[in-house]
């Protein structure tokens, strides 16, 4: 299929046995660690009620936190690992009008279990593939934003049999800034363009820096330096590149670079969107995803 560009808006290891559990996190290391049950945290309970049904799942030796809402074809949203699923509530509510939306918080972030050592993007991708198997999901649309967009891309490259399509929302991994300082400065410059995202995401970022410190610092380095051109060239899954025209963190040139590498890819540009338009402009984003899932690739 050819490559298409559409403007929306005003211009048009986790290896091992997987178990579903409803209780607390009990590490399998045998060292007697005691971790407060995720479901017992008041903030987590309130967020789960707002987002839909929340539960924990075991994947190998780690716990992932999953919320689910809506009906229809399954769409799995991976929150950026520097924040959490609750940050994306506006987008989830909008998408749930058209699809069954599952939000999966990955280890080393949010309400998922902490990691003993930071992971690579490939290990996150393997965990996602095994999570989809544990949730008995096949042929899903996988959605990743920013940092989790990189994970979604690697899943599409390495585990295409699990997916019907992948949506990369202002994904990192192309033309990286090469330094954490440059990344932080870009995010700071963009803060005024994303008041809703900043209000919702800042508490989650602080939580991750406090409770998932090593993972968060490692992820910042990955966001600043990762080059996923090699993985992108292997992707043969239908791909929607959903980008904000005003993205200062990962400018639109990165989307064009990805599109050149993925044969069956469509680029949708939000003319007023920035790096976080998935939260700032949820209805517009949900409409693009609904069209993509319906098989039109986001085109009208």
């Amino acid at each position: 299929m050819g490559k298409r560009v559409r403007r929306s808006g005003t211009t048009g290891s986790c290896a091992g046995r997987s178990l579903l559990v409803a209780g607390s996190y009990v590490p399998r290391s045998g060292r007697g660690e005691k971790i407060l049950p995720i479901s017992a945290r008041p903030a987590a309970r309130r967020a789960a009620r707002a987002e839909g049904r929340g539960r924990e799942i075991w994947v190998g030796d780690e716990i992932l936190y999953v919320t689910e809402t809506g009906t229809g074809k399954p769409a799995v949203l991976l929150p950026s690992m520097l924040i959490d699923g609750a940050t994306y509530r506006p987008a989830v509510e909008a998408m749930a009008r058209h699809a069954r939306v599952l939000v999966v918080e990955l280890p080393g972030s949010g309400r998922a279990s902490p990691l003993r050592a930071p992971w690579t993007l490939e290990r996150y991708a393997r965990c996602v593939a095994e999570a989809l198997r544990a949730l008995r999901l096949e042929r899903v649309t996988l959605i990743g934003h920013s940092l989790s967009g990189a994970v979604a891309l690697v899943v599409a490259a390495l585990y295409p049999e699990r997916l019907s399509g992948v949506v990369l929302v202002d994904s990192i991994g192309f033309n990286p800034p090469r330094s954490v300082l440059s990344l932080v400065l870009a995010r700071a410059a963009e803060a005024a363009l994303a008041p809703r995202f900043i209000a919702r995401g800042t508490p989650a970022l602080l939580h991750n820096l406090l409770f998932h410190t090593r993972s968060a610092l490692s992820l910042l380095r990955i966001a600043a330096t990762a080059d996923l051109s090699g993985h992108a060239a292997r992707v043969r899954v239908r791909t929607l590149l959903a980008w904000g025209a005003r993205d200062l963190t990962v400018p639109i040139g990165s989307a064009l670079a990805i599109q050149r590498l993925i044969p069956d890819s469509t680029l949708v540009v939000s003319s007023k969107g920035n790096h976080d338009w998935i939260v700032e402009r949820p209805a517009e984003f949900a409409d693009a995803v609904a069209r993509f899932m319906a098989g039109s690739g986001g085109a009208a």
Side-chain angles (χ1 to χ4, degrees), residues 77 88 90-91 143 145 169 275-282 285:
L77 170 65
Y88 295 86
I143 304 169
H145 168 235
V169 190
H275 185 72
D276 308 303
W277 72 287
I278 183 175
V279 174
E280 294 294 322
R281 307 178 67 82
F285 173 77

Side-chain angles (χ1 to χ4, degrees), residues 43 64 99 105 109 115 120 163 166 183 185 233 250 281:
L64 287 66
E105 295 183 15
S109 67
L115 294 173
T120 63
L163 309 180
V166 61
L183 177 68
L185 290 175
V250 187
R281 307 178 67 82

Side-chain angles (χ1 to χ4, degrees), residues 4-267:
R4 302 172 295 280
V5 179
R6 170 177 170 79
R7 287 186 176 269
S8 61
T10 56
T11 61
S13 146
C14 275
R17 193 158 50 103
S18 301
L19 301 173
L20 292 177
V21 297
S24 61
Y25 170 41
V26 182
R28 294 183 178 179
S29 65
R31 299 177 183 175
E33 296 101 330
K34 184 177 181 181
I35 297 181
L36 180 67
I38 297 173
S39 56
R41 298 172 188 161
R45 288 200 304 269
R46 289 193 298 271
R49 283 196 297 269
E51 298 160 12
R53 297 186 300 276
R55 67 190 187 276
E56 301 160 357
I57 65 168
W58 279 104
V59 177
D61 292 329
E62 307 297 342
I63 278 188
L64 287 66
Y65 190 83
V66 181
T67 59
E68 180 177 342
T69 185
T71 58
K73 294 181 181 179
V76 174
L77 170 65
L78 304 176
S80 170
M81 294 87 79
L82 289 173
I83 45 179
D84 65 6
T87 304
Y88 295 86
R89 182 183 171 191
V92 172
E93 290 177 341
M95 287 191 294
R97 301 187 183 103
H98 310 285
R100 174 190 175 198
V101 183
L102 297 96
V103 181
V104 180
E105 295 183 15
L106 299 174
S109 67
R111 291 161 285 186
S113 58
L115 294 173
R116 294 182 180 88
W119 281 4
T120 63
L121 292 174
E122 289 77 12
R123 192 166 182 186
Y124 275 112
R126 184 166 78 247
C127 186
V128 170
E130 294 183 359
L132 295 178
R133 189 177 301 113
L135 292 164
R136 300 180 182 178
L137 294 172
E138 296 182 356
R139 308 298 295 169
V140 305
T141 297
L142 184 65
I143 304 169
H145 168 235
S146 191
L147 192 51
S148 66
V151 175
L153 187 148
V154 178
V155 174
L158 301 182
Y159 309 97
E161 69 281 0
R162 309 301 306 184
L163 309 180
S164 65
V166 61
V167 181
L168 307 180
V169 190
D170 299 83
S171 174
I172 63 101
F174 299 84
N175 303 321
R178 301 299 180 187
S179 76
V180 172
L181 177 60
S182 296
L183 177 68
V184 171
L185 290 175
R187 295 302 288 145
E190 203 161 9
L193 300 176
R196 176 185 287 189
F197 181 84
I198 295 299
R200 300 187 66 86
T202 298
L205 174 61
L206 295 176
H207 170 88
N208 285 335
L209 289 172
L210 182 61
F211 293 102
H212 300 286
T213 307
R214 291 181 64 191
S215 293
L217 294 178
S218 174
L219 289 164
L220 281 171
R221 288 190 293 272
I222 288 173
T225 61
D227 184 344
L228 299 180
S229 300
H231 284 299
R234 298 178 57 181
V235 173
R236 294 297 181 267
V237 176
R238 288 180 62 243
T239 302
L240 177 65
L241 307 173
W243 235 262
R246 301 178 181 181
D247 189 339
L248 303 179
T249 304
V250 187
I252 191 68
S254 295
L256 297 173
I258 303 173
Q259 191 181 29
R260 286 192 290 269
L261 291 168
I262 301 178
D264 190 4
S265 59
T266 300
L267 173 59

